[in-house]
CSV table of all heavy atoms in Angstrom, one decimal:
chain,number,residue,atom,x,y,z
A,50,ALA,N,0.8,-1.2,0.0
A,50,ALA,CA,0.0,0.0,0.0
A,50,ALA,C,0.9,1.3,0.0
A,50,ALA,O,0.6,2.2,-0.7
A,50,ALA,CB,-0.9,0.0,1.2
A,51,ALA,N,2.0,1.2,0.8
A,51,ALA,CA,2.8,2.4,0.8
A,51,ALA,C,3.5,2.7,-0.5
A,51,ALA,O,3.6,3.8,-0.9
A,51,ALA,CB,3.9,2.2,1.9
A,52,ILE,N,4.0,1.6,-1.2
A,52,ILE,CA,4.6,1.8,-2.5
A,52,ILE,C,3.6,2.3,-3.5
A,52,ILE,O,3.9,3.2,-4.3
A,52,ILE,CB,5.3,0.5,-2.9
A,52,ILE,CG1,6.4,0.1,-2.0
A,52,ILE,CG2,5.8,0.6,-4.4
A,52,ILE,CD1,7.0,-1.3,-2.2
A,53,TRP,N,2.4,1.7,-3.5
A,53,TRP,CA,1.4,2.2,-4.5
A,53,TRP,C,1.0,3.6,-4.2
A,53,TRP,O,0.8,4.4,-5.2
A,53,TRP,CB,0.2,1.2,-4.5
A,53,TRP,CG,-0.9,1.8,-5.4
A,53,TRP,CD1,-2.0,2.5,-5.1
A,53,TRP,CD2,-0.9,1.7,-6.8
A,53,TRP,NE1,-2.7,2.9,-6.2
A,53,TRP,CE2,-2.0,2.4,-7.3
A,53,TRP,CE3,0.0,1.1,-7.8
A,53,TRP,CZ2,-2.3,2.4,-8.7
A,53,TRP,CZ3,-0.3,1.2,-9.1
A,53,TRP,CH2,-1.4,1.8,-9.6
A,54,ASP,N,0.9,4.0,-3.0
A,54,ASP,CA,0.5,5.3,-2.6
A,54,ASP,C,1.5,6.4,-3.1
A,54,ASP,O,1.2,7.5,-3.4
A,54,ASP,CB,0.3,5.5,-1.1
A,54,ASP,CG,-1.0,4.8,-0.6
A,54,ASP,OD1,-1.8,4.5,-1.5
A,54,ASP,OD2,-1.1,4.7,0.6
A,55,MET,N,2.7,5.9,-3.3
A,55,MET,CA,3.8,6.8,-3.8
A,55,MET,C,3.5,7.3,-5.2
A,55,MET,O,4.0,8.3,-5.6
A,55,MET,CB,5.2,6.2,-3.7
A,55,MET,CG,5.8,6.1,-2.3
A,55,MET,SD,6.1,7.8,-1.6
A,55,MET,CE,7.3,8.4,-2.8
A,56,ARG,N,2.7,6.5,-6.0
A,56,ARG,CA,2.4,6.9,-7.3
A,56,ARG,C,1.8,8.3,-7.4
A,56,ARG,O,2.1,9.1,-8.2
A,56,ARG,CB,1.5,5.9,-8.0
A,56,ARG,CG,1.2,6.2,-9.4
A,56,ARG,CD,-0.1,5.7,-10.0
A,56,ARG,NE,-0.4,6.4,-11.2
A,56,ARG,CZ,-1.1,7.6,-11.2
A,56,ARG,NH1,-1.5,8.1,-10.0
A,56,ARG,NH2,-1.3,8.2,-12.3
A,57,ALA,N,0.9,8.6,-6.4
A,57,ALA,CA,0.2,9.9,-6.4
A,57,ALA,C,1.2,10.9,-5.8
A,57,ALA,O,1.2,12.1,-6.2
A,57,ALA,CB,-1.0,9.8,-5.5
A,58,GLN,N,2.0,10.5,-4.7
A,58,GLN,CA,2.8,11.5,-4.1
A,58,GLN,C,4.0,11.9,-5.0
A,58,GLN,O,4.4,13.1,-4.9
A,58,GLN,CB,3.4,10.9,-2.8
A,58,GLN,CG,2.4,10.6,-1.7
A,58,GLN,CD,3.0,10.1,-0.5
A,58,GLN,OE1,4.1,10.6,0.0
A,58,GLN,NE2,2.4,9.0,0.1
A,59,ILE,N,4.5,11.0,-5.8
A,59,ILE,CA,5.7,11.3,-6.5
A,59,ILE,C,5.6,12.4,-7.6
A,59,ILE,O,6.5,12.9,-8.1
A,59,ILE,CB,6.4,10.0,-7.1
A,59,ILE,CG1,5.4,9.4,-8.1
A,59,ILE,CG2,6.8,9.1,-6.1
A,59,ILE,CD1,5.9,8.1,-8.7
A,60,ILE,N,4.3,12.7,-7.9
A,60,ILE,CA,4.1,13.7,-8.9
A,60,ILE,C,4.4,15.1,-8.4
A,60,ILE,O,4.7,16.0,-9.1
A,60,ILE,CB,2.7,13.6,-9.5
A,60,ILE,CG1,2.5,12.3,-10.2
A,60,ILE,CG2,2.3,14.7,-10.4
A,60,ILE,CD1,1.1,12.0,-10.7
A,61,HIS,N,4.3,15.2,-7.0
A,61,HIS,CA,4.5,16.5,-6.4
A,61,HIS,C,6.0,16.9,-6.4
A,61,HIS,O,6.8,16.1,-6.0
A,61,HIS,CB,3.8,16.5,-5.0
A,61,HIS,CG,2.4,16.3,-5.1
A,61,HIS,ND1,1.5,17.0,-5.7
A,61,HIS,CD2,1.7,15.2,-4.5
A,61,HIS,CE1,0.3,16.5,-5.6
A,61,HIS,NE2,0.3,15.4,-4.9
A,62,PRO,N,6.3,18.1,-6.7
A,62,PRO,CA,7.7,18.5,-6.9
A,62,PRO,C,8.6,18.5,-5.6
A,62,PRO,O,9.8,18.3,-5.7
A,62,PRO,CB,7.7,19.9,-7.5
A,62,PRO,CG,6.3,20.4,-7.1
A,62,PRO,CD,5.4,19.2,-7.1
A,63,LYS,N,8.0,18.6,-4.4
A,63,LYS,CA,8.7,18.6,-3.2
A,63,LYS,C,9.1,17.3,-2.6
A,63,LYS,O,9.8,17.2,-1.7
A,63,LYS,CB,8.0,19.5,-2.2
A,63,LYS,CG,7.9,21.0,-2.6
A,63,LYS,CD,7.3,21.8,-1.5
A,63,LYS,CE,7.3,23.3,-1.9
A,63,LYS,NZ,6.7,24.2,-0.8
A,64,THR,N,8.5,16.2,-3.2
A,64,THR,CA,8.7,14.9,-2.6
A,64,THR,C,10.1,14.4,-3.1
A,64,THR,O,10.4,14.4,-4.3
A,64,THR,CB,7.7,13.9,-3.1
A,64,THR,OG1,6.4,14.4,-2.7
A,64,THR,CG2,7.9,12.5,-2.5
A,65,ARG,N,10.9,13.9,-2.2
A,65,ARG,CA,12.2,13.4,-2.6
A,65,ARG,C,12.1,12.0,-3.1
A,65,ARG,O,11.3,11.2,-2.6
A,65,ARG,CB,13.2,13.4,-1.4
A,65,ARG,CG,13.7,14.7,-0.9
A,65,ARG,CD,14.8,14.5,0.1
A,65,ARG,NE,14.4,13.7,1.2
A,65,ARG,CZ,14.9,12.4,1.3
A,65,ARG,NH1,15.7,11.9,0.5
A,65,ARG,NH2,14.5,11.7,2.4
A,66,PHE,N,12.9,11.6,-4.1
A,66,PHE,CA,12.9,10.3,-4.7
A,66,PHE,C,13.3,9.3,-3.6
A,66,PHE,O,12.9,8.1,-3.6
A,66,PHE,CB,13.7,10.2,-5.9
A,66,PHE,CG,13.6,8.9,-6.7
A,66,PHE,CD1,12.4,8.7,-7.4
A,66,PHE,CD2,14.6,8.0,-6.7
A,66,PHE,CE1,12.2,7.5,-8.1
A,66,PHE,CE2,14.4,6.8,-7.4
A,66,PHE,CZ,13.3,6.6,-8.1
A,67,GLY,N,14.2,9.7,-2.7
A,67,GLY,CA,14.7,8.8,-1.7
A,67,GLY,C,13.6,8.3,-0.8
A,67,GLY,O,13.8,7.2,-0.2
A,68,VAL,N,12.5,9.0,-0.7
A,68,VAL,CA,11.4,8.4,0.1
A,68,VAL,C,10.9,7.1,-0.5
A,68,VAL,O,10.5,6.2,0.2
A,68,VAL,CB,10.2,9.5,0.2
A,68,VAL,CG1,9.0,8.9,0.9
A,68,VAL,CG2,10.7,10.8,0.9
A,69,LEU,N,10.8,7.1,-1.8
A,69,LEU,CA,10.4,5.8,-2.5
A,69,LEU,C,11.5,4.8,-2.3
A,69,LEU,O,11.2,3.6,-2.0
A,69,LEU,CB,10.1,6.1,-3.9
A,69,LEU,CG,9.8,4.9,-4.8
A,69,LEU,CD1,8.6,4.1,-4.3
A,69,LEU,CD2,9.6,5.2,-6.3
A,70,LEU,N,12.7,5.2,-2.5
A,70,LEU,CA,13.8,4.2,-2.4
A,70,LEU,C,13.8,3.5,-1.0
A,70,LEU,O,14.1,2.4,-0.9
A,70,LEU,CB,15.2,4.9,-2.7
A,70,LEU,CG,15.4,5.3,-4.1
A,70,LEU,CD1,16.8,5.9,-4.2
A,70,LEU,CD2,15.3,4.1,-5.1
A,71,ASP,N,13.5,4.3,0.0
A,71,ASP,CA,13.5,3.8,1.4
A,71,ASP,C,12.5,2.6,1.5
A,71,ASP,O,12.7,1.7,2.4
A,71,ASP,CB,13.1,4.9,2.4
A,71,ASP,CG,14.3,5.8,2.6
A,71,ASP,OD1,15.4,5.5,2.2
A,71,ASP,OD2,14.0,6.9,3.1
A,72,LEU,N,11.4,2.6,0.7
A,72,LEU,CA,10.4,1.6,0.8
A,72,LEU,C,10.8,0.3,0.0
A,72,LEU,O,10.2,-0.7,0.1
A,72,LEU,CB,9.1,2.1,0.2
A,72,LEU,CG,8.4,3.2,0.9
A,72,LEU,CD1,7.2,3.7,0.1
A,72,LEU,CD2,7.9,2.7,2.3
A,73,LEU,N,11.9,0.4,-0.8
A,73,LEU,CA,12.3,-0.7,-1.7
A,73,LEU,C,13.5,-1.5,-1.2
A,73,LEU,O,13.8,-2.5,-1.8
A,73,LEU,CB,12.6,-0.1,-3.1
A,73,LEU,CG,11.5,0.8,-3.7
A,73,LEU,CD1,12.0,1.4,-5.0
A,73,LEU,CD2,10.2,0.0,-3.9
A,74,ARG,N,14.2,-1.0,-0.3
A,74,ARG,CA,15.5,-1.6,0.1
A,74,ARG,C,15.4,-2.9,0.8
A,74,ARG,O,16.2,-3.8,0.6
A,74,ARG,CB,16.4,-0.6,0.8
A,74,ARG,CG,16.8,0.6,0.0
A,74,ARG,CD,17.9,1.4,0.7
A,74,ARG,NE,18.4,2.5,-0.1
A,74,ARG,CZ,18.0,3.8,0.0
A,74,ARG,NH1,17.1,4.1,0.9
A,74,ARG,NH2,18.5,4.7,-0.7
A,75,ASP,N,14.5,-3.0,1.8
A,75,ASP,CA,14.5,-4.1,2.7
A,75,ASP,C,14.1,-5.4,1.9
A,75,ASP,O,13.4,-5.3,0.9
A,75,ASP,CB,13.5,-3.9,3.8
A,75,ASP,CG,13.9,-2.9,4.8
A,75,ASP,OD1,15.2,-2.7,4.9
A,75,ASP,OD2,13.1,-2.4,5.5
A,76,PRO,N,14.7,-6.5,2.3
A,76,PRO,CA,14.3,-7.8,1.7
A,76,PRO,C,12.8,-8.1,1.7
A,76,PRO,O,12.1,-7.6,2.6
A,76,PRO,CB,15.1,-8.9,2.5
A,76,PRO,CG,16.2,-8.1,3.2
A,76,PRO,CD,15.6,-6.7,3.4
A,77,VAL,N,12.3,-8.8,0.8
A,77,VAL,CA,10.9,-9.2,0.8
A,77,VAL,C,10.6,-10.0,2.1
A,77,VAL,O,11.5,-10.8,2.5
A,77,VAL,CB,10.6,-10.1,-0.5
A,77,VAL,CG1,9.2,-10.7,-0.3
A,77,VAL,CG2,10.6,-9.2,-1.7
A,78,GLY,N,9.5,-9.8,2.7
A,78,GLY,CA,9.1,-10.5,3.9
A,78,GLY,C,9.2,-9.6,5.1
A,78,GLY,O,8.7,-9.9,6.2
């Protein structure tokens, strides 16, 4: 849900791309 919600947030110019990357680093599970 957090990753999908980033689709709407990432369009806004003040959102850092690193916020999305932080959701992607941890291993699955």
Side-chain angles (χ1 to χ4, degrees):
I52 295 170
W53 177 260
D54 287 347
M55 283 296 298
R56 186 206 159 271
Q58 295 182 43
I59 59 183
I60 296 173
H61 301 299
K63 293 185 178 180
T64 305
R65 287 188 311 105
F66 191 71
V68 175
L69 175 60
L70 290 179
D71 287 343
L72 294 170
L73 306 175
R74 292 191 176 99
D75 287 339
V77 168

